[in-house]
């Protein structure tokens, strides 16, 4: 299955069977996580075969059952303490308060982290789908204070997003999308190039919190592309997911980010 097929095939699956994931498949996923961590500086970790990989914690929304395997998307805000002089732990606490209140990230380091989590998390989700598994993104409330977590947080790091994965207990639902015209802009009078359309069609398959698709891609006169988050829950993570999809759909060599 190629990545475009994996995008079509992927759905948020919230119920899993007890069938264990093959060791060989877990090894491939672990290698992909190592590669993502190397490239991104994130501290992504994985657990498999647990009774409850979500540790009884509440998810931000949605009911999950049989989650035996998960990937914890962990990182540190890119410039914690550097932009506003806040100590890492204060910044982390402030972030958790904002997340609980569903406020959008405003700190530059936080925005960079969230977009990076989206980009690399979605790369892992699609790899899992290619390996015959189902996945779902989820936000675990109070994950940073969980007792006996299977992940480890270094100073200044935080975990909020997780990916459940495994053998799905039921098929995914129908996907809906905003029309392409609402999600991108091209210069006046230009016909949308095929590569840009292919990128957008892939981006439209990306998961976003509550399916809000809070992103806008712009093709500029000089052929470069920019992408920004619009209003929505955890918009910067969704933007990161959509940017990964866009690159795959358009062809990585074609896309020059502005
Ligand atoms: C950043 C992010 C956070 C999400 N958080 C949750 C969550 O807390 N609970 C949940 O049930 N689904 C969550 N989802 C899954 C989305 O609701 C789901 O991907 C979306 O509805 C689109 O459906 P699809 O993935 O089947 O295309 C999240 C997705 C993203 C990208």
């Amino acid at each position: 299955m190629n990545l475009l097929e994996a995008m079509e095939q992927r759905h948020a699956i919230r119920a899993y069977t007890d069938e264990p994931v093959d060791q060989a498949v877990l090894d491939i996923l672990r290698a992909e996580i190592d590669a993502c961590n190397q490239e991104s500086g994130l501290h992504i970790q994985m657990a498999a075969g647990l009774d409850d990989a979500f540790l009884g914690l509440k998810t931000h929304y949605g009911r999950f059952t049989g989650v035996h395997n998960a990937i914890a998307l962990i990182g540190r805000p890119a410039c914690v303490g550097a932009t506003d002089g806040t100590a890492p732990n204060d910044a982390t606490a402030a972030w958790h308060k904002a997340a609980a209140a569903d406020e959008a990230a405003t700190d530059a380091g936080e925005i960079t982290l969230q977009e990076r989590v989206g980009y690399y998390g979605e790369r892992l989700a699609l790899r899992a789908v290619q390996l015959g598994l189902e996945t779902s993104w989820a936000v675990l409330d109070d994950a940073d204070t969980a007792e006996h977590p299977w992940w480890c947080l270094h100073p200044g790091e935080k975990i909020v997003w997780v990916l459940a994965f495994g053998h799905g207990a039921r098929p995914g639902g129908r996907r809906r999308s905003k029309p392409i015209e609402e999600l991108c802009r091209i210069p006046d009078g230009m016909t949308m190039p095929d590569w840009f359309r292919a990128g957008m069609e892939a981006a439209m398959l990306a998961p976003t919190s509550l399916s809000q698709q809070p992103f806008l891609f712009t093709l500029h006169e000089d052929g470069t592309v920019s992408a920004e988050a619009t209003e929505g829950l955890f918009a910067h993570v969704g933007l990161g997911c959509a940017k990964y999809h866009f690159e795959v759909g358009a062809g990585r060599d074609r896309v020059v980010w502005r």
Side-chain angles (χ1 to χ4, degrees):
M1 187 190 302
N2 67 30
L3 280 171
L4 287 172
E5 289 163 339
M7 287 178 195
E8 296 276 356
Q9 181 101 6
R10 188 209 57 79
H11 289 281
I13 298 296
R14 300 180 177 87
Y16 295 88
T17 69
D18 292 340
E19 183 187 343
V21 175
D22 281 353
Q23 190 55 49
V25 168
L26 291 174
D27 291 345
I28 297 172
L29 268 182
R30 217 177 278 282
E32 189 76 7
I33 287 172
D34 289 347
C36 287
N37 283 339
Q38 276 278 332
E39 244 180 65
S40 66
L42 294 173
H43 187 195
I44 302 172
Q45 297 158 53
M46 177 176 98
L50 301 184
D51 189 31
D52 174 13
F54 281 1
L55 304 174
L57 296 168
K58 260 184 52 208
T59 52
H60 214 67
Y61 63 90
R63 206 174 99 75
F64 285 78
T65 56
V67 180
H68 303 302
N69 317 290
I71 292 171
L73 300 161
I74 291 172
R76 175 183 290 132
C79 40
V80 155
T83 48
D84 60 0
T86 334
N89 286 342
D90 290 351
T92 305
W95 184 86
H96 279 292
K97 216 168 124 230
D102 285 355
E103 286 167 13
T106 49
D107 173 82
E110 181 58 45
I111 287 171
T112 305
L113 171 65
Q114 293 195 15
E115 196 178 311
R116 201 171 284 165
V117 158
Y119 185 94
Y120 287 95
E122 185 59 8
R123 171 169 151 182
L124 291 168
L126 291 175
R127 191 77 189 93
V129 173
Q130 283 184 308
L131 293 165
L133 301 174
E134 312 284 355
T135 65
S136 179
W137 283 81
V139 176
L140 280 190
D141 289 336
D142 302 321
D144 56 325
T145 54
E147 277 180 40
H148 312 298
W150 47 263
W151 55 83
C152 122
L153 294 180
H154 291 157
E157 287 184 342
K158 60 199 182 193
I159 162 178
V160 175
W161 290 279
V162 288
L163 279 170
F165 70 92
H167 298 285
R170 49 183 88 116
R174 266 193 51 210
R175 206 182 338 253
R176 54 203 158 84
S177 173
K178 291 178 182 169
I180 192 167
E181 306 76 46
E182 275 184 37
L183 296 170
C184 68
R185 282 201 219 117
I186 56 171
D188 281 347
M190 186 194 274
T191 307
M192 192 182 292
D194 289 345
W195 65 270
F196 186 83
R197 182 178 295 279
M200 282 311 302
E201 283 170 357
M204 288 158 70
L205 296 173
T208 54
S209 199
L210 298 171
S211 299
Q212 288 173 330
Q213 298 182 298
F215 53 77
L216 181 71
F217 285 74
T218 303
L219 174 62
H220 299 276
E221 294 277 3
D222 62 3
T224 60
V225 180
S226 56
E228 64 199 273
T230 56
E231 206 159 304
L233 183 61
F234 305 123
H236 296 284
V237 185
L239 175 65
C241 296
K243 283 178 83 169
Y244 183 72
H245 277 230
F246 184 91
E247 282 183 3
V248 172
R252 284 206 185 86
D253 302 345
R254 274 291 344 198
V255 183
V256 181
W257 294 111
R258 174 175 278 226

